[in-house]
Amino acid sequence: MARIIVVTSGKGGVGKTTTSAAIAMGLAKRGHKTAVIDFDVGLRNLDLIMGCERRVVYDFINVINGEANLNQALIRDKNCNLLYILPASQTRDKDALSIEGVGRVLEELAKDFKYIVCDSPAGIEKGAYLAMYYADDAFVVTNPEVSSVRDSDRMLGILASKSRRAELGMEPIKEFLLLTRYDPNRVESGEMLSLEDVQEILSLHLLGIIPESKSVLTASNAGIPVILDEKSDAGMAYADVVARYLGEKRPHRFIESKKGFLRKLFGGK
Amino acid sequence: MSLLDYFRSSKSKTASIAKERLQILLAHERYYRNKPSYLPQLQEELLEVIRKYVNVDQDAISVKFEQDENQETLELNIVLPESQNSKSPLEI
């Protein structure tokens, strides 16, 4: 039975695509056949983050419209042969997505894949709506910042009322929090919402904290999901997220600040 | 708390402000979630009508929208001022 995961946030720029690429790679690396779909029609970027932008021939919309079959459109990842990418169309607009079309593609993928990761676009319009509609699990990506927390809360309302599971009165979508771009030093000095603050407001099951990290940009520059940078803090944090999602118990890391003695004394950055 | 923080004022401790603002805002937004979008305007207009006859505060009126499987209920509650200084007696 395939599990459909939506990576969502409402707000843009919080790390949805970075997260989608990382967790899809993580799941595949752990032996689960995984597909990751870019729902950001017209502004596709997952292909760049996954480093397969030059191998895109057919896309999600082509498959929905029957202009290509799934096997033609799916791109096998160069780092992991259990991972496949279904890119968004760059030329069409989001109206090319339809609820029936998306449902058909997901149903076909579900026959062959263990996990299907849906990378949602920002906003709450059609692309975002269809990315979450069929989901079983939702990874809500949130920055410790007011507008991101507010948008996540709005997204939670939509997950609870507008999804297929909600409409059919099924067991609700399982919602998980991924707190990204976390800076323990700034939290300690009272400049940034803490994990506890965000948890108090959103009350979600915490899947992991991804620290603000230079390795995220380095990874996207190279088109390699950051989880493959196993020595980096963000890479390790994403590996923890995948392990926890698969049921392992792992203590949360990257919550404490790494200030040295002198920095502690003088409070510098 | 570092030495420098001690001399600095606490003006950079804005996280608590952020949290408080979010808690107030989200309580409000959650209340109106999945409720008809006309509710705030309805409340506003009802208040206007009532004020034609009685001096009531903004807080004196509450509009509650409840939804269960079988029915939707709109409950309107107006607290009239205790002293009889209204323009004319009103019975509801």
Side-chain angles (χ1 to χ4, degrees), chain A residues 42-62:
Chain A
L43 288 170
R44 85 166 167 232
N45 275 321
L46 180 68
D47 55 333
L48 264 180
I49 301 300
M50 303 286 303
C52 66
E53 70 277 8
R54 293 172 65 179
R55 291 159 64 205
V56 176
V57 183
Y58 295 108
D59 58 51
F60 193 13
I61 303 296
N62 291 138

Side-chain angles (χ1 to χ4, degrees), chain A residues 179-194:
Chain A
L179 196 54
T180 55
R181 308 199 68 162
Y182 197 72
D183 185 340
N185 289 323
R186 303 195 75 185
V187 170
E188 195 169 277
S189 63
E191 297 169 58
M192 183 182 265
L193 288 168
S194 69

Side-chain angles (χ1 to χ4, degrees), chain A residues 6-267:
Chain A
V6 62
V7 178
T8 188
S9 70
K11 191 176 181 302
V14 298
K16 281 183 298 297
T17 302
T18 299
T19 298
S20 299
I23 61 157
M25 177 62 80
L27 288 166
K29 279 278 179 192
R30 303 217 13 175
H32 304 290
K33 195 172 181 188
T34 301
V36 56
I37 309 176
D38 190 348
F39 274 77
D40 205 346
V41 176
L43 288 170
R44 85 166 167 232
N45 275 321
L46 180 68
D47 55 333
L48 264 180
I49 301 300
M50 303 286 303
C52 66
E53 70 277 8
R54 293 172 65 179
R55 291 159 64 205
V56 176
V57 183
Y58 295 108
D59 58 51
F60 193 13
I61 303 296
N62 291 138
V63 180
I64 287 176
N65 292 345
E67 295 150 4
N69 63 42
L70 252 180
N71 289 330
Q72 290 173 296
L74 284 170
I75 303 168
R76 181 188 283 209
D77 187 82
K78 57 180 186 276
N79 293 301
C80 180
N81 60 15
L82 287 175
L83 178 59
Y84 290 79
I85 299 121
L86 184 54
S89 168
Q90 182 69 331
T91 50
R92 314 288 264 276
D93 66 46
K94 58 187 182 305
D95 294 328
L97 290 172
S98 67
I99 199 159
E100 301 79 16
V102 171
R104 272 200 315 276
V105 173
L106 289 175
E107 201 174 314
E108 201 180 332
L109 283 170
K111 290 178 196 156
D112 198 23
F113 288 87
K114 182 76 204 296
Y115 292 102
I116 303 166
V117 178
C118 302
D119 181 21
S120 173
I124 50 172
E125 285 178 55
K126 199 169 184 182
Y129 166 72
L130 290 175
M132 69 89 207
Y133 185 78
Y134 293 98
D136 301 304
D137 301 314
F139 288 16
V140 180
V141 182
T142 307
N143 288 171
E145 180 273 329
V146 284
S147 54
S148 175
V149 175
R150 180 199 209 172
D151 290 359
S152 292
D153 190 68
R154 178 98 167 87
M155 210 61 224
L156 290 171
I158 293 169
L159 289 169
S161 63
K162 302 261 163 64
S163 65
R164 176 175 146 273
R165 281 175 172 271
E167 283 178 2
L168 299 181
M170 298 161 68
E171 192 187 326
I173 294 177
K174 284 205 182 75
E175 300 156 342
F176 302 97
L177 174 67
L178 240 88
L179 196 54
T180 55
R181 308 199 68 162
Y182 197 72
D183 185 340
N185 289 323
R186 303 195 75 185
V187 170
E188 195 169 277
S189 63
E191 297 169 58
M192 183 182 265
L193 288 168
S194 69
L195 166 66
E196 292 75 25
D197 292 339
V198 176
Q199 281 291 65
E200 205 178 306
I201 294 166
L202 295 179
S203 11
L204 284 178
H205 180 79
L206 178 70
L207 212 46
I209 298 142
I210 314 297
E212 175 77 57
S213 167
K214 288 179 179 167
S215 56
V216 172
L217 181 61
T218 313
S220 84
N221 284 342
I224 301 164
V226 69
I227 197 169
L228 293 178
D229 186 354
E230 290 165 5
K231 290 198 173 62
S232 71
D233 45 3
M236 289 190 277
Y238 275 118
D240 285 353
V241 164
V242 171
R244 287 190 200 106
Y245 176 70
L246 293 174
E248 268 178 51
K249 292 240 184 307
R250 288 198 185 183
H252 287 287
R253 298 192 270 179
F254 315 108
I255 307 174
E256 302 297 323
S257 64
K258 286 182 287 191
K259 278 188 176 177
F261 170 72
L262 282 177
R263 277 167 116 192
K264 266 207 175 103
L265 193 65
F266 296 108

